[in-house]
């Protein structure tokens, strides 16, 4: 007997213009009816608001599926492919996501209280606003990239906090100091921004990159003195990208993480 609380997602799929393949539909019926469907083929499935509490979805192929606001408390998602899957606003309390693929996965506003994830699992996922994420899972890269997303949305105070957390996680990574300096320059915290640029400069110098170190020293001097030159806070907005305009050529050779931090800030490479 099909669980009525799991019926609506199935009805929605029967009504869409392009029906799923028969084998995928069989898997969908199984997971909605029984809650157990290991190795299920559910790519692109529409499972919004689905009740999948305690479901066995180990190794399920759920890439690009829509599980927005689904109830997955206690679900076993070990080894599941959740690439580009929407779990926005979903409840994953106590779920097991160890070994799952979270490339491009939307976990924003999801509840991950008590959920088990592999170390650094969130590096390639979107998890802003999610709750219950333990500190040891939020790697430097995950925090740094979340800060990048905040800059893209113009949420500079949030970006400053996230880059600060990334620095605490990995204080010897100069790019996070640069990124926080840019965020602080956008918030008119010029003295603090200059301090970040100078520290990043010292780290680049220590790493043997004198050219970038010099450019960051120049950026620190410019951002610290701009108020006396412009006489207007509004004229100072957006200087982060402008100050580092000469940084582009060298940044092209940095690691992908470094480039990802700088691309959204207008350097355009």
């Amino acid at each position: 007997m099909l669980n009525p609380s799991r019926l609506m997602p199935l009805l929605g799929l029967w009504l869409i213009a392009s029906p799923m393949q028969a084998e995928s539909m069989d898997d969908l019926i199984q997971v909605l009816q029984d809650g157990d469907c290991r190795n299920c083929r559910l790519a692109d499935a529409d499972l919004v608001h689905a009740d999948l509490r305690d479901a066995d979805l180990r190794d399920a192929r759920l890439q690009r599926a829509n599980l927005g606001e689904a109830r997955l408390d206690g679900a076993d998602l070990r080894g599941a492919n959740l690439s580009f899957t929407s779990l926005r606003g979903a409840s994953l309390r106590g779920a097991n996501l160890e070994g799952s693929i979270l490339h491009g996965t939307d976990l924003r506003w999801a509840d991950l209280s008590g959920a088990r994830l592999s170390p650094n699992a969130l590096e390639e996922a979107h998890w802003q606003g999610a709750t219950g994420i333990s500190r040891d899972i939020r790697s430097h890269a995950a925090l740094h990239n979340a800060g990048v997303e905040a800059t893209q949305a113009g949420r500079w105070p949030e970006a400053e906090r996230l880059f600060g957390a990334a620095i605490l996680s990995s204080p010897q990574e100069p790019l996070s100091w640069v990124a926080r300096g840019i965020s602080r320059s956008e918030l008119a915290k010029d003295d603090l921004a200059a301090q970040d640029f100078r520290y990043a400069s010292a780290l680049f110098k220590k790493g043997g990159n004198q050219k970038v170190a010099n450019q960051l020293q120049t950026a620190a001097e410019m951002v610290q003195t701009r108020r006396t030159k412009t006489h207007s806070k509004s004229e100072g907005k957006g200087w982060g990208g402008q100050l580092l305009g000469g940084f582009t050529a060298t940044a092209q050779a940095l690691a992908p993480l470094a480039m990802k931090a700088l691309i959204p800030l207008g350097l355009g490479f």
Side-chain angles (χ1 to χ4, degrees), residues 178 182 185 190 193-194 197-198 212-226 239-240 242-245:
V178 176
I182 292 171
S185 74
D190 295 339
F197 289 145
R198 287 194 179 97
V212 175
N214 292 341
Q215 290 169 338
L216 286 168
Q217 280 289 352
T218 300
E221 294 169 7
M222 292 176 68
V223 75
Q224 197 163 28
T225 60
R226 65 177 174 177
W239 268 47
Q242 295 175 34
L243 289 173
L244 298 180

Side-chain angles (χ1 to χ4, degrees), residues 180-197:
R180 190 175 70 172
I182 292 171
S183 300
R184 286 176 163 177
S185 74
E186 292 288 340
L187 293 167
K189 297 181 179 181
D190 295 339
D191 289 340
L192 293 174
Q195 290 176 18
D196 284 347
F197 289 145

Side-chain angles (χ1 to χ4, degrees), residues 29-166:
I29 293 172
Q30 181 179 342
V31 73
L32 292 174
Q33 182 172 1
D34 303 329
D36 294 322
C37 195
R38 188 171 181 177
N39 294 308
C40 273
R41 294 150 295 186
L42 295 170
D44 302 300
D46 186 352
L47 290 160
V48 175
H49 299 293
D51 184 354
L52 297 171
R53 286 173 290 179
D54 300 313
D56 184 353
L57 293 166
R58 284 173 289 174
D59 302 310
R61 283 164 275 177
L62 284 157
Q63 57 268 39
R64 301 178 305 279
N66 190 346
L67 283 155
E69 299 188 29
R71 302 177 71 182
L72 287 151
D73 302 319
D76 192 343
L77 287 153
R78 285 176 291 173
N81 187 343
L82 296 163
S83 299
F84 301 104
T85 298
S86 175
L87 285 158
R88 187 166 186 161
S91 182
L92 290 148
R93 298 174 67 89
N96 192 339
L97 292 121
E98 293 175 330
S100 60
I101 300 172
L102 299 175
H103 178 69
T105 306
D106 188 353
L107 287 162
R108 287 173 289 186
W109 311 110
D111 186 350
L112 291 161
S113 300
R116 287 176 284 175
L117 294 98
S118 300
N120 304 330
L122 299 177
E123 285 190 12
E124 297 180 323
H126 307 281
W127 49 269
Q128 291 65 43
T131 57
I133 300 176
S134 60
R135 288 185 177 273
D136 58 338
I137 292 173
R138 298 186 302 175
S139 67
H140 166 261
L143 289 163
H144 185 96
N145 290 345
V148 171
E149 289 196 17
T151 67
Q152 291 175 312
R155 301 191 303 270
W156 296 107
E158 180 184 348
E160 181 190 15
R161 289 193 298 272
L162 287 164
F163 290 132

